[in-house]
Amino acid sequence: MEFYRRGPIRAQVSKEVAVLVVVALLSIGGGESRKGRILVDESIEYTAINCRGHSASLTDFGGVGDGKTSNTKAIQAAIDHLSQYASDGGAQLYVPAGKWLTGSFSLTSHFTLYLHKDAVLLASQDMNEWPVLKPLPSYGRGRDAAGGRYTSLVFGTNLTDVVITGDNGTIDGQGAFWWQKFHGGKLKYTRPYLIEVMFSDIVQISNLTLLNSPSWNVHPVYSSNILVQGITIIAPVKSPNTDGINPDSCTNIRIEDCYIVSGDDCVAVKSGWDEYGIAFGWPTKQLIIRRLTCISPYSAVIALGSEMSGGIQDVRAEDIVAINTESGVRIKTAVGRGGYVKDIYVQRMTMHTMKWVFLMNGNYKAHADNNYDPNALPVIQGINYRDMVAENVSMAARLEGISGDPFTNICVSNVTIGMAAKSKKVKWMCTDVAGITSGVTPQPCDSLPDQGSEKITTCEFPTDSLPVDNVEFKKCTYRMTYARTLLHV
């Protein structure tokens, strides 16, 4: 096998070749309909963390890609059958071209889910196809309602070695159905996400288009060694809580080469909510974000929190583009959160049309319940921003720490912010924060004193590599032969 290191994943599917056609002629209402099954032979090639020893098509298990027939049972039956090969080279489930209506289904270990470029997993609007799970232990309750939460469309827990990929195939959450229920206060449980893996290790999510998620799009939680690459995420900019990628109480995560248009934060880093997150005590750390493009007029490119009670540490973001987005980097926390956000590094960020470049809120009021500890104060320190350019900005920064609990060791260097024609009179607003700046325009607030141009490289960005940056990829090639039903009138 050939091995590859880093770089975006590429998938390639050969042109379909029909090797057998069986046609039946049916008389319908005086007309003639041709119905047949075509045996399709395809070769697919892509790079992944692991290749598989066995492969099958969804059509082998009775899948029907007409956009109307439920495939929930067929998909789950296929995965359950293929799970027998976990210790024998693993298995791949191939989803051919078509619209495959489905409710939630659960993955297995040593497994690949592969979507053809013209395949669409279409989320069911039948509530019976969405089982309800208990709330996440680090949250204590659902986000939309106090009870549990609907299982995500593509779900997995306690897994090892999972690949969810394709040749830019599509997962469509048909979110409007859920958004209406959310706005109408008709939900008993929290809306499902498109992809969620829990308590899992070694996961690749790549080369997919995610549309109209009911809520968050990609949610790895309590997991490690996560790769999210080459993902396109699209949702209306006013859709509720359609965050792009939310690593939550995870270690060793790499997010790169993604394009996100969202109704909420493009990337939101989390680790639990108030007393539940403090008790669970599972931080998010060693996170890489690179080559991300974000459009989100009402939210942030990268948000840290607000659910950060288990801690967030060692986040490295670089080569980021933001267009028409509310804020570049935002830290959200509050009294009662506890936890920490520290050792944050962001460099080479380009921003166009922003409300704020830097935003920190120590008064983010949303709490899981009224049992949070008012003495649990978050620690925010070691925040480094450097080598950034922004234009058409309303306000350079709004930095609000907590009285008696200031945000400290903030460093901003080599940052040029071009203000909008109708920008705020006050360019920087700072309370309960402390740090330094160098080579920043417009001039920052007094609590971030200028150290002079000779210290323009003061703000740190680590030069060592994290383990997740050393993952090797294999070139996987499969020959797929499967039957497809055709109907021509």
Side-chain angles (χ1 to χ4, degrees), residues 3 159 319:
F3 291 83
L159 303 179
D319 301 318

Side-chain angles (χ1 to χ4, degrees), residues 267-284:
V267 175
V269 187
K270 301 178 180 291
S271 66
W273 202 359
D274 289 351
E275 70 269 26
Y276 303 102
I278 294 171
F280 200 73
W282 200 322
T284 290

Side-chain angles (χ1 to χ4, degrees), residues 157-227:
T157 185
N158 295 292
L159 303 179
T160 300
D161 178 21
V162 172
V163 177
I164 306 167
T165 190
D167 187 15
N168 204 32
T170 299
I171 302 176
D172 186 344
Q174 300 204 96
F177 168 79
W178 296 94
W179 306 333
Q180 291 171 7
K181 289 182 176 294
F182 172 76
H183 287 307
K186 297 179 180 179
L187 288 171
K188 294 182 179 179
Y189 308 107
T190 293
R191 286 164 287 161
Y193 308 142
L194 282 190
I195 300 174
E196 181 179 66
V197 289
M198 298 174 55
F199 299 110
S200 296
D201 182 45
I202 311 175
V203 177
Q204 172 186 328
I205 303 169
S206 62
N207 279 51
L208 296 169
T209 295
L210 309 183
L211 302 178
N212 302 317
S213 178
S215 185
W216 300 352
N217 280 267
V218 179
H219 184 224
V221 58
Y222 318 140
S223 296
S224 57
N225 300 307
I226 309 294
L227 303 174

Side-chain angles (χ1 to χ4, degrees), residues 226-466:
I226 309 294
L227 303 174
V228 182
Q229 301 173 306
I231 297 293
T232 298
I233 295 174
I234 306 291
V237 296
K238 292 188 177 181
S239 55
N241 312 117
T242 51
D243 301 39
I245 304 164
N246 289 8
D248 194 346
S249 294
C250 289
T251 301
N252 280 323
I253 317 103
R254 189 167 117 205
I255 300 169
E256 60 189 10
D257 301 303
C258 294
Y259 176 86
I260 301 174
V261 180
S262 168
D264 212 310
D265 304 319
C266 287
V267 175
V269 187
K270 301 178 180 291
S271 66
W273 202 359
D274 289 351
E275 70 269 26
Y276 303 102
I278 294 171
F280 200 73
W282 200 322
T284 290
K285 59 184 180 180
Q286 298 179 329
L287 166 63
I288 294 170
I289 305 167
R290 60 165 71 103
R291 298 187 300 274
L292 167 71
T293 298
C294 169
I295 300 174
S296 184
Y298 304 101
S299 292
V301 179
I302 299 172
L304 305 164
S306 73
E307 303 90 343
M308 39 62 67
S309 301
I312 297 171
Q313 185 173 15
D314 196 359
V315 176
R316 309 176 184 191
E318 58 185 333
D319 301 318
I320 311 295
V321 175
I323 304 167
N324 189 23
T325 295
E326 185 180 70
S327 57
V329 184
R330 184 180 186 185
I331 296 175
K332 301 185 281 187
T333 188
V335 171
R337 283 289 194 272
Y340 53 84
V341 176
K342 58 185 180 181
D343 304 333
I344 308 301
Y345 312 97
V346 185
Q347 69 176 358
R348 296 196 302 270
M349 193 168 184
T350 303
M351 292 161 275
H352 307 268
T353 308
M354 311 289 291
K355 188 172 183 179
W356 297 285
V357 172
F358 308 120
L359 182 60
M360 299 182 185
N361 302 114
N363 59 350
Y364 203 83
K365 299 297 186 182
H367 292 285
D369 52 38
N370 293 324
N371 297 320
Y372 65 90
D373 180 0
N375 296 314
L377 300 178
V379 175
I380 312 298
Q381 66 181 26
I383 313 299
N384 297 270
Y385 303 138
R386 74 181 202 185
D387 306 336
M388 300 182 179
V389 176
E391 60 182 23
N392 197 30
V393 176
S394 298
M395 187 175 187
R398 181 176 176 179
L399 310 179
E400 300 171 327
I402 297 172
S403 178
D405 180 35
F407 300 171
T408 61
N409 295 337
I410 298 168
C411 185
V412 186
S413 67
N414 193 29
V415 173
T416 301
I417 301 173
M419 307 307 296
K422 296 182 179 180
S423 62
K424 300 286 186 181
K425 185 176 181 179
V426 177
K427 310 306 181 187
W428 288 72
M429 179 182 293
C430 305
T431 56
D432 299 301
V433 297
I436 60 173
T437 58
S438 178
V440 177
T441 57
Q443 182 177 342
C445 47
D446 293 340
S447 54
L448 302 175
D450 186 3
Q451 305 300 296
S453 59
E454 67 275 7
K455 294 190 176 182
I456 202 165
T457 59
T458 295
C459 303
E460 296 180 5
F461 196 95
T463 57
D464 64 317
S465 63
L466 295 176

Side-chain angles (χ1 to χ4, degrees), residues 32-53:
E32 192 175 75
S33 174
R34 295 171 176 243
K35 183 178 181 180
R37 287 173 64 79
I38 182 170
L39 197 62
V40 177
D41 185 21
E42 288 184 338
S43 176
I44 62 174
E45 178 182 299
Y46 59 92
T47 53
I49 51 178
N50 277 309
C51 303
R52 308 304 179 191

